[in-house]
Structures are given as C-alpha cells and as structure tokens.
Amino acid sequence: MERQKRRMKVKRNRKISKIIVALLIVCAVAGTVCGCGMFPLFETDLEDGTAGKDDDLIVIGYSQLGSESIWRTANTASMQRALTQENGFFLILENGRQRQENQIKSIRSFISQRVDYIVFSPVVSTGWDTVLQEAKDAGIPVIVVDRMVDVKDDSLYTAWVGTDSRVEGEKAGYWLEQDLKKRGRQYDDINIVILTGTEGSSAQMGRSAGFAQIASRYGNWHILDEGCGDFTPAKGKEVMKEFLRDYPDIDVVVSQNDDMTFGALEAIHEAGLTTGIRGDIMIISFDAVREALELVEQGEINADIECNPEQGEAVAEVIRKLERGESVEKKNPIEEKVFTISNVGLYMDSRTY
C-alpha cells in the first residue's frame, strides 16, 4: 500500500519533473557544445519540451561510475539494452566519470526527480551512508550494481547485482596452483607482481584479498610488489615498467583487469621479454573482454578470470519482482568462468564485447 501511494505521488509530481528535465537537457546540450561529453541523459519530445515517456513506465535513475574500460562500456550497454521503454522502463543515465562526488550528486538529483528506482555502480565502496539514507527516507529503492558498497546499515539498499570480486581473486589463485602442479613447478620459488585496480573499489579489494588468501598457503609464492594501475592501459604500462626495472626475475603478473594487462604486455614486450604459455612471464588477467580472450587463444595470456558485464537483465528482473510485490535476494551474483587456451575457443563466436 505504501508503495502504491508513493507511485501515485510520483505521477502527480511528474509534470513538474518533466519541466525540470527539459531544463536539464538544455544544460546538458550546452555542456556538450563546450566539449564536455557524457552518456545520453534523456529521451525527449521536442514538440512539447518534456521527457518523452509514458507515466506507466518505471523510471530508473542510473549512475554509472565511468567509462574507463572496454568492460565498463559493455556493462553500460547491457543496462541500456535491458532497461528500455519497450521493456517498460524509462532510463535516466549519468556518467560519474570515476568520481564519487559526481555520483552522489547524481543520486541526489534522482531523488529530487522522484524516480521509481535508483541504480548505481559505486566507484569506491565507502562513503555512501548519507546519500543512501536520503534515498531511503524518500522511499526510493536502491539497487547496487557491479561493485559493492560498505555501509553500516545494509537496509540502505534493496539488492546487489554483480560479480563477486573476492571469488574472482580466489579463482586466480586456484588456477595458478593447478597450473604450477601441471608444470611440475609447485615447489619452485614463484615471484609474483600484482597490478591492482582503483584503490578503495570493491573490485580491487576483493580480487586482492581473494588471491592473497590462496597465496598465503604457499611459502614459495613471493609477492614482490603491488602497484595501482587504476584499471587503465596507460597506468598499467607505467607500473609494469617500474616492476621490470626493480625486479629482474618476475615469474607471474596478476593484473586486476584486461585494460591494465594490455598496458603491461606493451611494457613487457618493449623490455624484450615474452609472455604466456611459452613465455618468460605468466599472465593472469581479469574481466575477459574479447580482445583479451583473443590473446588467451594465442597463448599470450595464460588465464583470464571473467567479470561478467552482462548485468542489465538481472537488474531488470529484480525490479520486476519488486513491482509484483515479491521478495528478492539481497545478493544476486552473476555467473562467471575462467578462460584458458583449452576452453576459450568454445566462447569466442558468442562474445559480443
């Protein structure tokens, strides 16, 4: 009953919101002219200057953390494909540009627009308690996507849909464990360097913790160093160059996303070294975008731990259940695989990102 009352209130305020939206569109266009590109924010009806939507559509405010990688682009596209008007949704999409303050501003904007649901992919895990409390006070359910949040009260969000970064890190450790046994190197000293992602993100913390848990079982696994590559190729290359300068005997590179891996590979090849199943340095990567899987198929990357970006339909299903008054699971993990040269060929034809 409370939900229905709030939806009626949303509809009464929607005409006012449409006027605000129209003004925001003008501002967004002006910002684009000034060279500040963003994701498209609204679909508009130019004849009456209002957001082109039907009041029966479920309005979703979605704050994507940024567009820093191929994976992130695929993740955004998945949300856009699932949350269409044809499927009963009206999506307001904003790009946080990897800054928490931008995302908080977007969430507050969604609250003022009285959207039906707020969906966001948090750039870092902490610092969300206040704004999520504001959303809760406004009666707007929040769905966290991809990365996780660390809040004192988990009732501040309704559900999480995404990938379990700690399990991904564990998978990387398990794979290395098994591969070394196959090679008869399980008793050798193994020197490891780690390219970490954006500090404070749940992806970085989870993958680091998961891999460290497995590595701690082996006294002969030596983690020589860790460096933040910020999930980008340029930074990945920069940090890898430093590793190669400081450590002449690197056996394994664990790179927490494919974009950093691409940069690291450039640095390694420029140093005259080889990688992969027949190379000087073993490469374990994360995300499993198509370009990286091609390198797995060629033997340049030993293993790629999937972080599945196809999360849009799972988010849509959570919202549909809530609309029907059904209960939903608090955590909704997405299925993920580990790709190596032995299995990657089975998935290349269907890989769209």
Side-chain angles (χ1 to χ4, degrees), residues 207-270:
R207 291 170 188 173
S208 294
F211 184 80
Q213 179 180 339
I214 306 304
S216 66
R217 301 175 183 177
Y218 297 95
N220 59 320
W221 289 20
H222 309 295
I223 298 179
L224 304 177
D225 208 344
E226 299 183 13
C228 178
D230 211 24
F231 290 133
T232 67
K235 190 67 175 176
K237 182 176 182 178
E238 177 186 327
V239 176
M240 192 67 227
K241 280 186 173 181
E242 295 174 1
F243 287 161
L244 292 168
R245 181 194 64 208
D246 296 340
Y247 308 104
D249 297 316
I250 297 171
D251 297 299
V252 180
V253 173
V254 178
S255 174
Q256 291 183 350
N257 89 329
D258 289 333
D259 286 82
M260 290 191 300
T261 300
F262 299 146
L265 289 172
E266 285 187 22
I268 292 169
H269 295 156
E270 287 174 6

Short mmCIF file of all heavy atoms in Angstrom, two decimals, residues 207-270:
data_model
loop_
_atom_site.label_atom_id
_atom_site.label_comp_id
_atom_site.label_asym_id
_atom_site.label_seq_id
_atom_site.Cartn_x
_atom_site.Cartn_y
_atom_site.Cartn_z
N ARG A 207 39.51 -8.73 -5.27
CA ARG A 207 40.48 -9.54 -6.02
C ARG A 207 41.80 -9.66 -5.28
O ARG A 207 42.43 -10.72 -5.29
CB ARG A 207 40.68 -8.92 -7.41
CG ARG A 207 39.45 -9.07 -8.29
CD ARG A 207 39.52 -8.27 -9.57
NE ARG A 207 38.22 -8.33 -10.25
CZ ARG A 207 37.91 -7.63 -11.33
NH1 ARG A 207 38.78 -6.79 -11.86
NH2 ARG A 207 36.71 -7.74 -11.87
N SER A 208 42.22 -8.59 -4.63
CA SER A 208 43.46 -8.65 -3.84
C SER A 208 43.31 -9.63 -2.68
O SER A 208 44.19 -10.48 -2.46
CB SER A 208 43.81 -7.26 -3.29
OG SER A 208 44.13 -6.36 -4.33
N ALA A 209 42.21 -9.54 -1.95
CA ALA A 209 42.00 -10.40 -0.78
C ALA A 209 41.85 -11.86 -1.19
O ALA A 209 42.40 -12.77 -0.53
CB ALA A 209 40.77 -9.94 0.00
N GLY A 210 41.11 -12.11 -2.26
CA GLY A 210 40.89 -13.48 -2.71
C GLY A 210 42.18 -14.16 -3.14
O GLY A 210 42.46 -15.30 -2.75
N PHE A 211 42.99 -13.45 -3.94
CA PHE A 211 44.26 -14.03 -4.38
C PHE A 211 45.22 -14.20 -3.21
O PHE A 211 45.90 -15.23 -3.09
CB PHE A 211 44.90 -13.17 -5.46
CG PHE A 211 46.16 -13.76 -6.02
CD1 PHE A 211 46.09 -14.76 -6.98
CD2 PHE A 211 47.40 -13.35 -5.57
CE1 PHE A 211 47.26 -15.34 -7.49
CE2 PHE A 211 48.57 -13.91 -6.07
CZ PHE A 211 48.50 -14.91 -7.04
N ALA A 212 45.25 -13.21 -2.32
CA ALA A 212 46.15 -13.29 -1.16
C ALA A 212 45.83 -14.48 -0.28
O ALA A 212 46.73 -15.10 0.30
CB ALA A 212 46.08 -11.99 -0.37
N GLN A 213 44.55 -14.80 -0.16
CA GLN A 213 44.15 -15.93 0.67
C GLN A 213 44.76 -17.24 0.15
O GLN A 213 45.24 -18.06 0.93
CB GLN A 213 42.63 -16.04 0.69
CG GLN A 213 42.12 -17.22 1.51
CD GLN A 213 40.60 -17.32 1.51
OE1 GLN A 213 39.91 -16.35 1.24
NE2 GLN A 213 40.08 -18.51 1.79
N ILE A 214 44.74 -17.43 -1.17
CA ILE A 214 45.32 -18.64 -1.74
C ILE A 214 46.84 -18.59 -1.67
O ILE A 214 47.50 -19.58 -1.32
CB ILE A 214 44.86 -18.83 -3.21
CG1 ILE A 214 43.33 -18.79 -3.30
CG2 ILE A 214 45.41 -20.14 -3.77
CD1 ILE A 214 42.61 -19.77 -2.43
N ALA A 215 47.41 -17.42 -1.97
CA ALA A 215 48.88 -17.29 -1.97
C ALA A 215 49.47 -17.55 -0.59
O ALA A 215 50.60 -18.06 -0.47
CB ALA A 215 49.27 -15.90 -2.45
N SER A 216 48.71 -17.23 0.46
CA SER A 216 49.23 -17.40 1.82
C SER A 216 49.47 -18.87 2.17
O SER A 216 50.17 -19.17 3.14
CB SER A 216 48.25 -16.78 2.83
OG SER A 216 47.02 -17.50 2.85
N ARG A 217 48.92 -19.78 1.40
CA ARG A 217 49.12 -21.21 1.67
C ARG A 217 50.50 -21.70 1.23
O ARG A 217 50.92 -22.79 1.60
CB ARG A 217 48.07 -22.03 0.93
CG ARG A 217 46.64 -21.71 1.27
CD ARG A 217 45.69 -22.49 0.39
NE ARG A 217 44.29 -22.18 0.63
CZ ARG A 217 43.27 -22.69 -0.06
NH1 ARG A 217 43.54 -23.56 -1.04
NH2 ARG A 217 42.04 -22.35 0.22
N TYR A 218 51.19 -20.89 0.44
CA TYR A 218 52.43 -21.35 -0.18
C TYR A 218 53.59 -20.44 0.20
O TYR A 218 53.65 -19.28 -0.22
CB TYR A 218 52.26 -21.39 -1.71
CG TYR A 218 51.20 -22.37 -2.14
CD1 TYR A 218 49.90 -21.94 -2.38
CD2 TYR A 218 51.49 -23.73 -2.26
CE1 TYR A 218 48.91 -22.84 -2.75
CE2 TYR A 218 50.51 -24.64 -2.62
CZ TYR A 218 49.23 -24.19 -2.86
OH TYR A 218 48.25 -25.10 -3.21
N GLY A 219 54.52 -21.00 0.93
CA GLY A 219 55.69 -20.24 1.32
C GLY A 219 56.61 -19.91 0.16
O GLY A 219 57.46 -19.02 0.27
N ASN A 220 56.47 -20.65 -0.94
CA ASN A 220 57.34 -20.41 -2.10
C ASN A 220 56.72 -19.44 -3.11
O ASN A 220 57.32 -19.17 -4.14
CB ASN A 220 57.67 -21.73 -2.79
CG ASN A 220 56.44 -22.47 -3.28
OD1 ASN A 220 55.42 -22.52 -2.59
ND2 ASN A 220 56.53 -23.06 -4.47
N TRP A 221 55.50 -18.91 -2.81
CA TRP A 221 54.94 -17.85 -3.64
C TRP A 221 55.35 -16.52 -3.02
O TRP A 221 54.98 -16.21 -1.88
CB TRP A 221 53.42 -17.93 -3.68
CG TRP A 221 52.85 -19.08 -4.44
CD1 TRP A 221 53.47 -20.25 -4.78
CD2 TRP A 221 51.50 -19.18 -4.93
NE1 TRP A 221 52.61 -21.07 -5.45
CE2 TRP A 221 51.40 -20.45 -5.56
CE3 TRP A 221 50.40 -18.36 -4.88
CZ2 TRP A 221 50.21 -20.89 -6.14
CZ3 TRP A 221 49.21 -18.78 -5.47
CH2 TRP A 221 49.12 -20.04 -6.10
N HIS A 222 56.10 -15.73 -3.73
CA HIS A 222 56.62 -14.47 -3.21
C HIS A 222 55.98 -13.30 -3.96
O HIS A 222 56.25 -13.09 -5.14
CB HIS A 222 58.14 -14.42 -3.36
CG HIS A 222 58.85 -15.63 -2.82
ND1 HIS A 222 58.84 -15.96 -1.48
CD2 HIS A 222 59.57 -16.60 -3.45
CE1 HIS A 222 59.54 -17.07 -1.29
NE2 HIS A 222 59.98 -17.49 -2.48
N ILE A 223 55.12 -12.57 -3.28
CA ILE A 223 54.53 -11.36 -3.87
C ILE A 223 55.53 -10.23 -3.68
O ILE A 223 55.68 -9.67 -2.59
CB ILE A 223 53.17 -11.03 -3.24
CG1 ILE A 223 52.18 -12.19 -3.50
CG2 ILE A 223 52.62 -9.73 -3.82
CD1 ILE A 223 50.80 -11.99 -2.89
N LEU A 224 56.25 -9.93 -4.76
CA LEU A 224 57.33 -8.95 -4.69
C LEU A 224 56.82 -7.53 -4.50
O LEU A 224 57.43 -6.74 -3.78
CB LEU A 224 58.17 -9.02 -5.97
CG LEU A 224 58.78 -10.38 -6.34
CD1 LEU A 224 59.52 -10.28 -7.67
CD2 LEU A 224 59.71 -10.87 -5.24
N ASP A 225 55.70 -7.22 -5.17
CA ASP A 225 55.22 -5.85 -5.12
C ASP A 225 53.79 -5.77 -5.65
O ASP A 225 53.34 -6.66 -6.38
CB ASP A 225 56.12 -4.93 -5.98
CG ASP A 225 56.14 -3.50 -5.48
OD1 ASP A 225 55.25 -3.12 -4.68
OD2 ASP A 225 57.04 -2.74 -5.90
N GLU A 226 53.10 -4.71 -5.27
CA GLU A 226 51.79 -4.38 -5.80
C GLU A 226 51.79 -2.91 -6.20
O GLU A 226 52.36 -2.08 -5.49
CB GLU A 226 50.69 -4.63 -4.76
CG GLU A 226 50.58 -6.07 -4.31
CD GLU A 226 49.42 -6.27 -3.32
OE1 GLU A 226 48.59 -5.35 -3.20
OE2 GLU A 226 49.36 -7.34 -2.70
N GLY A 227 51.16 -2.59 -7.31
CA GLY A 227 51.10 -1.21 -7.76
C GLY A 227 49.76 -0.90 -8.39
O GLY A 227 49.20 -1.74 -9.11
N CYS A 228 49.23 0.28 -8.11
CA CYS A 228 47.90 0.66 -8.61
C CYS A 228 47.99 1.12 -10.07
O CYS A 228 48.61 2.13 -10.38
CB CYS A 228 47.31 1.76 -7.75
SG CYS A 228 45.70 2.33 -8.33
N GLY A 229 47.33 0.36 -10.94
CA GLY A 229 47.24 0.73 -12.35
C GLY A 229 45.92 1.40 -12.69
O GLY A 229 45.68 1.74 -13.85
N ASP A 230 45.05 1.59 -11.69
CA ASP A 230 43.81 2.35 -11.82
C ASP A 230 42.90 1.85 -12.94
O ASP A 230 42.11 2.60 -13.50
CB ASP A 230 44.12 3.83 -12.03
CG ASP A 230 43.04 4.73 -11.46
OD1 ASP A 230 42.32 4.28 -10.54
OD2 ASP A 230 42.91 5.87 -11.94
N PHE A 231 43.05 0.56 -13.30
CA PHE A 231 42.19 -0.06 -14.31
C PHE A 231 42.36 0.54 -15.71
O PHE A 231 41.45 0.42 -16.55
CB PHE A 231 40.71 -0.01 -13.91
CG PHE A 231 40.35 -0.90 -12.75
CD1 PHE A 231 39.58 -0.40 -11.70
CD2 PHE A 231 40.74 -2.23 -12.70
CE1 PHE A 231 39.22 -1.21 -10.62
CE2 PHE A 231 40.40 -3.05 -11.63
CZ PHE A 231 39.64 -2.54 -10.60
N THR A 232 43.49 1.19 -16.00
CA THR A 232 43.68 1.79 -17.32
C THR A 232 44.96 1.26 -17.98
O THR A 232 45.92 0.91 -17.30
CB THR A 232 43.79 3.33 -17.23
OG1 THR A 232 45.00 3.69 -16.55
CG2 THR A 232 42.60 3.93 -16.52
N PRO A 233 45.00 1.20 -19.33
CA PRO A 233 46.19 0.70 -20.02
C PRO A 233 47.43 1.55 -19.75
O PRO A 233 48.53 1.01 -19.54
CB PRO A 233 45.79 0.77 -21.50
CG PRO A 233 44.31 0.75 -21.51
CD PRO A 233 43.88 1.47 -20.27
N ALA A 234 47.29 2.88 -19.78
CA ALA A 234 48.44 3.75 -19.61
C ALA A 234 49.09 3.57 -18.24
O ALA A 234 50.32 3.45 -18.13
CB ALA A 234 48.03 5.21 -19.80
N LYS A 235 48.26 3.53 -17.21
CA LYS A 235 48.80 3.36 -15.86
C LYS A 235 49.34 1.95 -15.67
O LYS A 235 50.35 1.75 -14.99
CB LYS A 235 47.70 3.66 -14.83
CG LYS A 235 48.20 3.75 -13.40
CD LYS A 235 49.10 4.95 -13.19
CE LYS A 235 49.49 5.09 -11.72
NZ LYS A 235 50.44 6.19 -11.50
N GLY A 236 48.67 0.97 -16.28
CA GLY A 236 49.17 -0.40 -16.20
C GLY A 236 50.56 -0.53 -16.79
O GLY A 236 51.44 -1.20 -16.24
N LYS A 237 50.77 0.12 -17.92
CA LYS A 237 52.09 0.09 -18.56
C LYS A 237 53.13 0.79 -17.70
O LYS A 237 54.26 0.29 -17.53
CB LYS A 237 52.01 0.76 -19.93
CG LYS A 237 53.33 0.73 -20.71
CD LYS A 237 53.16 1.31 -22.11
CE LYS A 237 54.46 1.22 -22.88
NZ LYS A 237 54.31 1.74 -24.27
N GLU A 238 52.75 1.92 -17.14
CA GLU A 238 53.68 2.68 -16.31
C GLU A 238 54.14 1.87 -15.10
O GLU A 238 55.35 1.80 -14.79
CB GLU A 238 52.99 3.96 -15.84
CG GLU A 238 53.80 4.82 -14.90
CD GLU A 238 53.00 6.00 -14.36
OE1 GLU A 238 52.14 6.53 -15.09
OE2 GLU A 238 53.23 6.39 -13.20
N VAL A 239 53.20 1.24 -14.40
CA VAL A 239 53.55 0.46 -13.21
C VAL A 239 54.35 -0.78 -13.60
O VAL A 239 55.30 -1.15 -12.91
CB VAL A 239 52.28 0.08 -12.43
CG1 VAL A 239 52.63 -0.83 -11.24
CG2 VAL A 239 51.56 1.32 -11.93
N MET A 240 53.99 -1.41 -14.72
CA MET A 240 54.72 -2.60 -15.15
C MET A 240 56.17 -2.27 -15.49
O MET A 240 57.09 -3.05 -15.19
CB MET A 240 54.02 -3.23 -16.37
CG MET A 240 54.55 -4.62 -16.71
SD MET A 240 54.15 -5.85 -15.45
CE MET A 240 55.74 -6.66 -15.26
N LYS A 241 56.39 -1.12 -16.06
CA LYS A 241 57.77 -0.69 -16.35
C LYS A 241 58.58 -0.59 -15.06
O LYS A 241 59.75 -0.97 -15.02
CB LYS A 241 57.76 0.67 -17.06
CG LYS A 241 57.46 0.60 -18.55
CD LYS A 241 57.61 1.98 -19.19
CE LYS A 241 57.48 1.91 -20.69
NZ LYS A 241 57.65 3.25 -21.33
N GLU A 242 57.94 -0.06 -14.04
CA GLU A 242 58.62 0.05 -12.74
C GLU A 242 58.92 -1.32 -12.16
O GLU A 242 60.02 -1.55 -11.62
CB GLU A 242 57.74 0.85 -11.78
CG GLU A 242 57.54 2.30 -12.18
CD GLU A 242 56.55 3.03 -11.29
OE1 GLU A 242 56.04 2.40 -10.33
OE2 GLU A 242 56.27 4.22 -11.54
N PHE A 243 57.98 -2.24 -12.28
CA PHE A 243 58.22 -3.61 -11.80
C PHE A 243 59.41 -4.23 -12.52
O PHE A 243 60.27 -4.86 -11.90
CB PHE A 243 56.98 -4.47 -12.04
CG PHE A 243 55.82 -4.20 -11.13
CD1 PHE A 243 54.54 -4.61 -11.48
CD2 PHE A 243 55.98 -3.57 -9.90
CE1 PHE A 243 53.45 -4.38 -10.64
CE2 PHE A 243 54.91 -3.33 -9.05
CZ PHE A 243 53.64 -3.75 -9.43
N LEU A 244 59.44 -4.10 -13.83
CA LEU A 244 60.52 -4.71 -14.62
C LEU A 244 61.88 -4.08 -14.28
O LEU A 244 62.91 -4.77 -14.31
CB LEU A 244 60.23 -4.55 -16.12
CG LEU A 244 59.04 -5.36 -16.63
CD1 LEU A 244 58.64 -4.90 -18.04
CD2 LEU A 244 59.36 -6.85 -16.64
N ARG A 245 61.86 -2.80 -13.96
CA ARG A 245 63.10 -2.13 -13.57
C ARG A 245 63.60 -2.61 -12.22
O ARG A 245 64.81 -2.80 -12.01
CB ARG A 245 62.85 -0.62 -13.53
CG ARG A 245 64.08 0.22 -13.15
CD ARG A 245 63.66 1.63 -12.80
NE ARG A 245 62.80 1.64 -11.61
CZ ARG A 245 61.88 2.56 -11.37
NH1 ARG A 245 61.63 3.51 -12.25
NH2 ARG A 245 61.16 2.51 -10.24
N ASP A 246 62.66 -2.84 -11.28
CA ASP A 246 63.03 -3.17 -9.91
C ASP A 246 63.22 -4.66 -9.64
O ASP A 246 63.93 -5.03 -8.70
CB ASP A 246 61.97 -2.63 -8.95
CG ASP A 246 61.87 -1.10 -8.96
OD1 ASP A 246 62.84 -0.46 -9.41
OD2 ASP A 246 60.82 -0.58 -8.55
N TYR A 247 62.57 -5.51 -10.48
CA TYR A 247 62.60 -6.96 -10.22
C TYR A 247 62.95 -7.71 -11.50
O TYR A 247 62.11 -7.86 -12.40
CB TYR A 247 61.24 -7.42 -9.69
CG TYR A 247 60.76 -6.60 -8.50
CD1 TYR A 247 59.76 -5.64 -8.65
CD2 TYR A 247 61.33 -6.79 -7.24
CE1 TYR A 247 59.33 -4.89 -7.57
CE2 TYR A 247 60.91 -6.03 -6.16
CZ TYR A 247 59.91 -5.09 -6.33
OH TYR A 247 59.50 -4.33 -5.26
N PRO A 248 64.16 -8.21 -11.60
CA PRO A 248 64.59 -8.86 -12.85
C PRO A 248 64.04 -10.27 -13.03
O PRO A 248 64.11 -10.80 -14.15
CB PRO A 248 66.11 -8.90 -12.69
CG PRO A 248 66.36 -8.90 -11.21
CD PRO A 248 65.25 -8.07 -10.63
N ASP A 249 63.49 -10.88 -12.01
CA ASP A 249 63.06 -12.29 -12.10
C ASP A 249 61.58 -12.45 -11.77
O ASP A 249 61.21 -13.17 -10.83
CB ASP A 249 63.91 -13.16 -11.15
CG ASP A 249 65.37 -13.15 -11.51
OD1 ASP A 249 65.68 -13.26 -12.72
OD2 ASP A 249 66.21 -13.01 -10.60
N ILE A 250 60.74 -11.82 -12.54
CA ILE A 250 59.30 -11.94 -12.35
C ILE A 250 58.79 -13.19 -13.06
O ILE A 250 59.05 -13.38 -14.25
CB ILE A 250 58.57 -10.69 -12.88
CG1 ILE A 250 58.99 -9.44 -12.09
CG2 ILE A 250 57.05 -10.89 -12.81
CD1 ILE A 250 58.47 -8.15 -12.68
N ASP A 251 58.08 -14.03 -12.34
CA ASP A 251 57.51 -15.24 -12.94
C ASP A 251 56.05 -15.04 -13.35
O ASP A 251 55.60 -15.59 -14.35
CB ASP A 251 57.58 -16.41 -11.95
CG ASP A 251 59.01 -16.78 -11.60
OD1 ASP A 251 59.75 -17.16 -12.52
OD2 ASP A 251 59.37 -16.70 -10.42
N VAL A 252 55.30 -14.29 -12.53
CA VAL A 252 53.86 -14.16 -12.74
C VAL A 252 53.43 -12.71 -12.56
O VAL A 252 53.84 -12.05 -11.59
CB VAL A 252 53.06 -15.04 -11.75
CG1 VAL A 252 51.56 -14.89 -11.98
CG2 VAL A 252 53.47 -16.50 -11.86
N VAL A 253 52.60 -12.23 -13.49
CA VAL A 253 51.93 -10.95 -13.32
C VAL A 253 50.44 -11.23 -13.12
O VAL A 253 49.81 -11.90 -13.93
CB VAL A 253 52.11 -10.04 -14.56
CG1 VAL A 253 51.24 -8.78 -14.42
CG2 VAL A 253 53.56 -9.65 -14.75
N VAL A 254 49.90 -10.73 -12.01
CA VAL A 254 48.46 -10.78 -11.77
C VAL A 254 47.93 -9.37 -12.01
O VAL A 254 48.26 -8.45 -11.26
CB VAL A 254 48.13 -11.24 -10.34
CG1 VAL A 254 46.62 -11.23 -10.11
CG2 VAL A 254 48.70 -12.62 -10.08
N SER A 255 47.15 -9.21 -13.05
CA SER A 255 46.64 -7.89 -13.44
C SER A 255 45.13 -7.87 -13.24
O SER A 255 44.40 -8.68 -13.84
CB SER A 255 46.98 -7.60 -14.89
OG SER A 255 46.39 -6.40 -15.33
N GLN A 256 44.64 -6.94 -12.43
CA GLN A 256 43.25 -6.99 -11.99
C GLN A 256 42.22 -6.50 -13.01
O GLN A 256 41.04 -6.45 -12.69
CB GLN A 256 43.10 -6.25 -10.66
CG GLN A 256 43.78 -6.98 -9.52
CD GLN A 256 43.58 -6.31 -8.17
OE1 GLN A 256 43.07 -5.18 -8.08
NE2 GLN A 256 43.98 -6.99 -7.10
N ASN A 257 42.65 -6.15 -14.21
CA ASN A 257 41.69 -6.04 -15.32
C ASN A 257 42.43 -6.08 -16.64
O ASN A 257 43.65 -5.89 -16.72
CB ASN A 257 40.77 -4.82 -15.21
CG ASN A 257 41.34 -3.57 -15.85
OD1 ASN A 257 42.54 -3.36 -15.88
ND2 ASN A 257 40.46 -2.71 -16.33
N ASP A 258 41.69 -6.35 -17.72
CA ASP A 258 42.30 -6.53 -19.03
C ASP A 258 42.95 -5.26 -19.55
O ASP A 258 43.99 -5.32 -20.22
CB ASP A 258 41.25 -7.00 -20.05
CG ASP A 258 40.80 -8.44 -19.79
OD1 ASP A 258 41.58 -9.22 -19.22
OD2 ASP A 258 39.66 -8.77 -20.16
N ASP A 259 42.37 -4.11 -19.28
CA ASP A 259 42.96 -2.87 -19.78
C ASP A 259 44.35 -2.65 -19.21
O ASP A 259 45.28 -2.26 -19.94
CB ASP A 259 42.04 -1.69 -19.45
CG ASP A 259 40.81 -1.67 -20.33
OD1 ASP A 259 39.86 -2.40 -20.02
OD2 ASP A 259 40.81 -0.97 -21.35
N MET A 260 44.55 -2.89 -17.93
CA MET A 260 45.89 -2.80 -17.36
C MET A 260 46.80 -3.86 -17.97
O MET A 260 47.99 -3.61 -18.20
CB MET A 260 45.83 -2.98 -15.84
CG MET A 260 45.21 -1.83 -15.10
SD MET A 260 45.43 -1.92 -13.30
CE MET A 260 44.62 -3.47 -12.89
N THR A 261 46.23 -5.03 -18.25
CA THR A 261 47.01 -6.11 -18.86
C THR A 261 47.55 -5.68 -20.22
O THR A 261 48.71 -5.96 -20.55
CB THR A 261 46.17 -7.38 -19.00
OG1 THR A 261 45.72 -7.79 -17.71
CG2 THR A 261 46.96 -8.51 -19.64
N PHE A 262 46.73 -5.01 -21.02
CA PHE A 262 47.19 -4.56 -22.33
C PHE A 262 48.40 -3.63 -22.19
O PHE A 262 49.37 -3.73 -22.93
CB PHE A 262 46.06 -3.83 -23.08
CG PHE A 262 44.84 -4.67 -23.33
CD1 PHE A 262 43.58 -4.11 -23.32
CD2 PHE A 262 44.96 -6.04 -23.57
CE1 PHE A 262 42.45 -4.88 -23.55
CE2 PHE A 262 43.83 -6.83 -23.79
CZ PHE A 262 42.58 -6.24 -23.78
N GLY A 263 48.34 -2.73 -21.23
CA GLY A 263 49.47 -1.85 -20.98
C GLY A 263 50.69 -2.60 -20.48
O GLY A 263 51.83 -2.34 -20.90
N ALA A 264 50.46 -3.56 -19.59
CA ALA A 264 51.56 -4.36 -19.04
C ALA A 264 52.25 -5.16 -20.14
O ALA A 264 53.49 -5.28 -20.17
CB ALA A 264 51.05 -5.28 -17.95
N LEU A 265 51.46 -5.73 -21.05
CA LEU A 265 52.04 -6.51 -22.16
C LEU A 265 52.94 -5.64 -23.02
O LEU A 265 54.02 -6.08 -23.46
CB LEU A 265 50.92 -7.12 -23.00
CG LEU A 265 50.14 -8.27 -22.35
CD1 LEU A 265 48.95 -8.66 -23.21
CD2 LEU A 265 51.04 -9.48 -22.11
N GLU A 266 52.52 -4.40 -23.27
CA GLU A 266 53.37 -3.49 -24.05
C GLU A 266 54.71 -3.29 -23.36
O GLU A 266 55.76 -3.33 -23.99
CB GLU A 266 52.67 -2.14 -24.23
CG GLU A 266 51.54 -2.12 -25.23
CD GLU A 266 51.02 -0.72 -25.47
OE1 GLU A 266 51.76 0.25 -25.19
OE2 GLU A 266 49.86 -0.59 -25.92
N ALA A 267 54.67 -3.05 -22.05
CA ALA A 267 55.90 -2.82 -21.30
C ALA A 267 56.81 -4.05 -21.32
O ALA A 267 58.03 -3.93 -21.49
CB ALA A 267 55.55 -2.44 -19.86
N ILE A 268 56.21 -5.21 -21.16
CA ILE A 268 56.99 -6.45 -21.15
C ILE A 268 57.63 -6.70 -22.50
O ILE A 268 58.83 -7.05 -22.60
CB ILE A 268 56.08 -7.64 -20.74
CG1 ILE A 268 55.65 -7.50 -19.27
CG2 ILE A 268 56.81 -8.98 -20.96
CD1 ILE A 268 54.55 -8.45 -18.86
N HIS A 269 56.87 -6.53 -23.58
CA HIS A 269 57.41 -6.76 -24.91
C HIS A 269 58.48 -5.74 -25.26
O HIS A 269 59.49 -6.08 -25.91
CB HIS A 269 56.27 -6.73 -25.94
CG HIS A 269 55.30 -7.85 -25.75
ND1 HIS A 269 54.00 -7.79 -26.19
CD2 HIS A 269 55.43 -9.07 -25.16
CE1 HIS A 269 53.37 -8.92 -25.88
NE2 HIS A 269 54.22 -9.70 -25.25
N GLU A 270 58.28 -4.49 -24.83
CA GLU A 270 59.29 -3.46 -25.09
C GLU A 270 60.59 -3.76 -24.34
O GLU A 270 61.67 -3.34 -24.76
CB GLU A 270 58.75 -2.09 -24.68
CG GLU A 270 57.70 -1.55 -25.64
CD GLU A 270 57.06 -0.26 -25.16
OE1 GLU A 270 57.53 0.28 -24.13
OE2 GLU A 270 56.11 0.22 -25.81
#
